[in-house]
Amino acid sequence: LVVYKDRPGVLAKITGVMAKHGINIDDMRAPHDARTGESMAVLKVNRPVSRVMLDEIVEATAARRAVYIEVR
């Protein structure tokens, strides 16, 4: 889950980090809040996302928050 200020190219940066680390994205949603200008990328992936990858996403996108949640 990544919360970011919506602008062109952010999803490409997020998916680029995932690809660089060999993670497949099974599904992705990116609802947008027109009032705040923020979006939330919710990704279902094929394996756990490390803190290092989350930090890399935050740095690449200036995201407000990036977290990995395991749902079984």
Side-chain angles (χ1 to χ4, degrees):
L1 177 115
V2 182
V3 179
Y4 58 93
K5 198 69 158 171
D6 192 25
R7 62 191 184 286
V10 175
L11 291 176
K13 289 177 182 178
I14 294 169
T15 58
V17 170
M18 296 291 175
K20 174 182 158 186
H21 292 278
I23 292 181
N24 186 55
I25 298 168
D26 297 329
D27 191 28
M28 181 172 67
R29 310 295 168 159
H32 175 75
D33 184 336
R35 185 178 51 80
T36 65
E38 285 191 322
S39 290
M40 177 186 339
V42 181
L43 295 86
K44 181 179 181 230
V45 295
N46 68 331
R47 62 187 181 96
V49 176
S50 71
R51 180 75 248 166
V52 170
M53 286 184 264
L54 293 171
D55 290 343
E56 192 174 335
I57 289 169
V58 168
E59 185 175 325
T61 64
R64 183 164 59 86
R65 169 176 263 184
V67 296
Y68 172 74
I69 302 166
E70 186 171 346
V71 178
R72 293 182 182 192

